[in-house]
Amino acid sequence: MRSHEFTLLQRILKERSGITLSADKQHLLEGKLRPFLKELELPSISHLAAL
């Protein structure tokens, strides 16, 4: 995941759920999103961020 994608996802999570993720949680977020990407048949987190 690129830093700008992580920043975008951080902002979305904060706005919609009130959850604040620090930069050291990027790897954790990637791991949590992988099954979701497969379910949606998206090839990468970049594609998810674009949605």
Side-chain angles (χ1 to χ4, degrees):
M1 175 182 326
R2 296 179 180 132
S3 64
H4 68 277
E5 294 165 343
F6 180 69
T7 302
L8 173 61
L9 293 172
Q10 276 180 310
R11 192 178 79 231
I12 291 169
L13 283 171
K14 178 68 175 169
E15 289 172 359
R16 297 185 183 183
S17 69
I19 296 171
T20 302
L21 289 181
S22 57
D24 65 324
K25 302 294 184 195
Q26 181 173 341
H27 200 60
L28 175 67
L29 181 60
E30 286 182 78
K32 295 291 186 182
L33 290 177
R34 293 278 172 219
F36 190 59
L37 294 175
K38 287 184 181 184
E39 183 180 320
L40 294 176
E41 298 180 357
L42 294 172
S44 70
I45 292 173
S46 297
H47 288 83
L48 180 62
L51 291 175

